[in-house]
Amino acid sequence: MIRTEGLCKYFASNGKEVRAVDGLDLEVNRGEVFGFLGPNGAGKTTTVRMLACLIAPSAGRAWVDGLEVGQDNLAIQARVGILTEAPGLYERLSARANLELFAELYNVNDVKGQVEKYLRLLDLWDRRDTDAGTFSKGMKQKLAIARALLHEPSVLFLDEPTAALDPEAAKTVRDFIATLRGQGRTIFLCTHNLDEAERLCDRIGVFRQRLIAVDTPDALRRQLFGRQTVVHLAPPEGTADVEALVAAVRNLPFVQHVTTLRPENAAEDNYRLVISLDDPARRNPIIVQMLVGHGAQVRFVNELRHSLEDVYLSLLRSNTA
Amino acid sequence: MRQFRALVRKEWADMLRNKLVFYVVIFVPLLMLAIPVAMLFVMRQVPPNEQDLAELGRMLQNPIFAGMNAVEAMQAIMASNMLVLFLMMPLMVPVTIAAYSIVGEKMTRSLEPLLATPITTTRLLLAKGFAAAAPGIAMTWICYALFLVAARFLSASERVFAVFVDPMWLVAMFVLAPLTTVLAVMVGVIVSSRVNDPRAAEQLGALVLIPLMALFIGAMAGFIMLNSTTFWISSGLVAVADIGLIYLGTALFQRETILTRWK
Ligand SMILES: Nc1ncnc2c1ncn2[C@@H]1O[C@H](COP(=O)(O)OP(=O)(O)OP(=O)(O)O)[C@@H](O)[C@H]1O
Ligand SMILES: [Mg+2]
């Protein structure tokens, strides 16, 4: 649905060349919600602008819905919807007038119908005749999202849709994006919010000038940290026992790494073994059996999940190194 | 056509609600209307003195004033000179609107979503240009009509009134004024795609007023004979400038530069 090959964008800034995007190779599938994650200045907005034919690539090629950027710009623009970084509404016009203008610009057949549909979907129908300038940030953002959807685009670019919104407004917008999933639309979501990416996106690309990693959130986690099982044990009588247990676990052929965590506070007296291994579903029973065989009292077994934040930070760090 | 109509409608709706632009569109022309009407009135009340009459003698060589008495000639000359002011309306109004319509969109950041729609640059500029030009031309014509109504009552004689509907004024209002408007709009477009502040755009745009001021002052001082030929020549010059500026304006209106150079 979206494909880029060595996509680049250079800017001249004070006589120096700034490489905003430097060799992006990317493939986003039809109907997918793709999270485009990167720090400030990574080039996310620049990438979206190139894909929406607002600015021309300096090098490389890109296709959107089978059409090549730079060749069929008007046709691409007719098929994509874009939520720009700033909502950019006409503040002196009513919500409805804002949408009607864009429906006309996008050559929508049923202008009135589409405008009403999206005003209602985004809960703005009651405020339809109010000037957009009087709206709260959250309402402006919703109106801008409605504006991007009027022509039922097959690709939707969302550039940080929840940045600058309070948690409640952000949640409303996020929930709305969630409802757009599975309507066959491809969604390209730029965000800083890792939690948002995790909840909304099928796949995530971590990006800074170029793509650092791309996969589902789970796969990224696994790639980076492998899979880890945590076994919580009742405190044994003597420390020697724990060392013996750890040694025994370490000796298992499929175990890559084991660390021991001692009780952290008085309320909790569990010892925890963090075991890195290849396939928890198959290996956990063997480990538990072995531990029990060694006289350990297993209280809980669970999988250690790293937050997407850990994944993201570690990817960026390894990329800088 | 749909895109054109929708954009023009939006520009006008927005204009009506932008107080500053609205006042420029309405009050500046009305002010300019007031000056020649006042001239007519004053010249009718105050008989010309000796010095004025000597001056008048020089100007009376313009055949259009032939056979008039002093009061008639004074009215006709002064009011005609002031009519040149009307030619500034199609300059000032559209420059202001055009400056706001692009720089303003840059500032509110509404230009990016607009440029993301499937609209060609030519159509976008046409719509913005038309939206800026039409009120300027309309105001010029309305003011001219209002002036004629006032002149009907205030003119000392039929002969004075005839001066104001002389073919030269028809050329000025219906040929030169629209051509000047196009000039103003293109200057507004060019300037505002280069600067980031509507006031700067407006001021730079006002620079195009200077040649017209020269015509005005020249006419006042009697260096330039006001007649159909002068207006046809001016029209020709402006038309040439228009073509050049339209070419330049579309070439300079590069979406990318406009979009990314605003920081
Ligand atoms: N018109 C321009 N001229 C010069 N440099 C630019 C221009 N536009 C962007 N850049 C630079 O390109 C880089 C990428 O900018 P971009 O806005 O695409 O980043 P981003 O990932 O969207 O960042 P953010 O998270 O802050 O929105 C930045 O270093 C920026 O300074
Ligand atoms: Mg950005």
Side-chain angles (χ1 to χ4, degrees):
Chain A
M1 197 64 183
I2 301 173
R3 194 152 68 82
T4 69
E5 273 175 16
L7 195 65
C8 297
K9 183 71 198 181
Y10 311 139
F11 291 108
S13 166
N14 302 325
K16 274 190 306 195
E17 189 183 66
V18 179
R19 300 190 158 218
V21 177
D22 193 12
L24 172 64
D25 297 304
L26 184 68
E27 189 141 10
V28 178
N29 305 317
R30 185 175 296 272
E32 181 173 42
V33 181
F34 186 84
F36 203 51
L37 237 65
N40 287 120
K44 302 180 295 292
T45 300
T46 306
T47 305
V48 167
R49 283 181 173 168
M50 285 194 277
L51 293 174
C53 305
L54 283 161
I55 60 178
S58 307
R61 303 171 74 183
W63 293 263
V64 177
D65 206 358
L67 301 164
E68 183 163 5
V69 170
Q71 309 283 323
D72 290 305
N73 286 3
L74 285 182
I76 293 177
Q77 292 189 314
R79 286 164 207 226
V80 308
I82 178 170
L83 173 75
T84 48
E85 231 170 1
L89 302 164
Y90 294 112
E91 307 225 321
R92 284 184 291 263
L93 300 185
S94 70
R96 181 166 30 189
N98 266 284
L99 293 191
E100 281 175 356
L101 167 67
F102 278 80
E104 297 282 353
L105 290 175
Y106 278 108
N107 293 307
V108 168
N109 284 327
D110 175 17
V111 172
K112 289 253 173 308
Q114 283 298 93
V115 168
E116 178 170 348
K117 170 179 164 187
Y118 281 102
L119 280 173
R120 283 192 190 281
L121 267 178
L122 284 153
D123 237 351
L124 294 170
W125 180 246
D126 294 335
R127 302 292 300 272
R128 61 189 177 278
D129 291 319
T130 317
D131 282 2
T134 65
F135 280 10
S136 70
K137 269 189 187 155
M139 290 165 75
K140 284 183 182 170
Q141 193 70 323
K142 287 200 287 181
L143 187 58
I145 293 176
R147 183 183 63 191
L149 286 166
L150 290 168
H151 57 301
E152 306 291 352
S154 51
V155 183
L156 182 64
F157 293 103
L158 300 170
D159 196 351
E160 296 183 28
T162 60
L165 299 187
D166 68 41
E168 198 186 343
K171 183 175 170 359
T172 321
V173 167
R174 208 171 291 136
D175 290 347
F176 180 75
I177 298 170
T179 65
L180 292 176
R181 275 183 82 154
Q183 295 180 1
R185 242 187 272 280
T186 309
I187 299 179
F188 191 93
L189 174 78
C190 296
T191 180
H192 287 139
N193 188 320
L194 299 153
D195 184 44
E196 173 174 303
E198 170 128 50
R199 266 194 282 163
L200 293 175
C201 302
D202 301 312
R203 283 195 309 150
I204 287 175
V206 179
F207 171 83
R208 182 160 64 193
Q209 278 88 60
R210 63 183 62 205
L211 210 54
I212 295 167
V214 56
D215 218 321
T216 61
D218 272 340
L220 282 177
R221 249 194 291 265
R222 221 172 304 137
Q223 256 175 38
L224 273 183
F225 301 105
R227 301 195 66 176
Q228 293 173 314
T229 296
V230 188
V231 183
H232 302 249
L233 303 174
E237 260 66 81
T239 41
D241 281 342
V242 177
E243 299 303 327
L245 286 175
V246 171
V249 173
R250 209 169 263 145
N251 277 336
L252 292 169
F254 50 81
V255 169
Q256 293 145 4
H257 187 73
V258 186
T259 43
T260 324
L261 301 172
R262 294 181 186 278
E264 277 160 1
N265 50 47
E268 192 205 334
D269 59 359
N270 289 341
Y271 276 74
R272 284 164 296 158
L273 303 184
V274 180
I275 307 164
S276 304
L277 71 179
D278 54 353
D279 185 355
R282 243 178 61 215
R283 309 304 193 187
N284 284 355
I286 304 173
I287 294 175
V288 172
Q289 218 168 26
M290 200 270 302
L291 285 171
V292 171
H294 279 71
Q297 296 181 35
V298 176
R299 281 182 171 164
F300 310 101
V301 178
N302 60 284
E303 179 155 28
L304 180 66
R305 286 180 68 86
H306 285 268
S307 71
L308 190 59
E309 190 178 341
D310 297 335
V311 176
Y312 172 79
L313 291 175
S314 138
L315 276 170
L316 287 179
R317 227 175 284 129
S318 65
N319 182 252
T320 314
Chain B
M1 206 53 210
R2 273 181 81 180
Q3 293 180 321
F4 179 88
R5 238 192 349 237
L7 253 184
V8 170
R9 203 178 323 130
K10 170 243 142 189
E11 291 290 329
W12 286 347
D14 200 44
M15 213 182 288
L16 284 175
R17 317 221 33 198
N18 184 340
K19 291 207 172 55
L20 184 63
V21 172
F22 185 67
Y23 289 144
V24 171
V25 173
I26 300 296
F27 287 116
V28 171
L30 288 181
L31 201 74
M32 288 187 167
L33 169 66
I35 296 171
V37 171
M39 277 295 165
L40 280 180
F41 185 72
V42 172
M43 291 304 145
R44 194 185 159 97
Q45 308 297 320
V46 189
N49 62 26
E50 292 300 314
Q51 210 192 340
D52 286 342
L53 280 174
E55 182 85 348
L56 218 55
R58 216 155 43 81
M59 290 188 173
L60 282 181
Q61 282 159 14
N62 191 335
I64 201 172
F65 307 126
M68 290 183 176
N69 66 30
V71 169
E72 285 176 333
M74 204 62 193
Q75 260 200 332
I77 291 168
M78 295 313 278
S80 304
N81 282 341
M82 292 303 165
L83 264 182
V84 177
L85 272 179
F86 278 28
L87 289 175
M88 272 183 230
M89 272 180 221
L91 274 180
M92 300 191 54
V93 173
V95 163
T96 308
I97 300 173
Y100 268 90
S101 94
I102 293 173
V103 186
E105 291 223 13
K106 261 201 235 187
M107 295 218 322
T108 57
R109 310 200 55 182
S110 53
L111 194 61
E112 188 171 358
L114 179 62
L115 290 178
T117 65
I119 186 168
T120 60
T121 304
T122 320
R123 202 170 296 170
L124 179 72
L125 284 184
L126 270 178
K128 289 222 164 232
F130 177 80
I137 298 182
M139 278 315 286
T140 312
W141 289 348
I142 289 172
C143 287
Y144 181 55
L146 290 177
F147 173 77
L148 291 183
V149 171
R152 264 273 51 118
F153 294 107
L154 293 174
S155 295
S157 70
E158 270 309 307
R159 270 187 302 198
V160 176
F161 184 74
V163 170
F164 305 132
V165 288
D166 184 86
M168 81 168 178
W169 283 116
L170 301 183
V171 173
M173 294 300 152
F174 297 103
V175 180
L176 183 55
L179 285 172
T180 323
T181 309
V182 176
L183 184 91
V185 168
M186 287 324 294
V187 168
V189 166
I190 291 170
V191 168
S192 57
S193 50
R194 302 272 120 178
V195 302
N196 297 325
D197 175 12
R199 250 155 307 175
E202 214 183 322
Q203 279 155 13
L204 269 174
L207 279 180
V208 298
L209 283 175
I210 288 173
L212 225 87
M213 285 297 268
L215 180 69
F216 173 66
I217 293 164
M220 283 293 279
F223 294 137
I224 297 169
M225 191 76 86
L226 289 182
N227 57 32
S228 300
T229 320
T230 335
F231 284 126
W232 277 118
I233 292 172
S234 313
S235 301
L237 291 177
V238 173
V240 171
D242 280 350
I243 293 168
L245 285 177
I246 288 175
Y247 184 76
L248 190 71
T250 354
L252 284 181
F253 190 90
Q254 271 164 10
R255 293 165 171 246
E256 178 157 351
T257 331
I258 291 178
L259 209 60
T260 57
R261 261 223 335 210
W262 66 34
K263 284 178 191 163

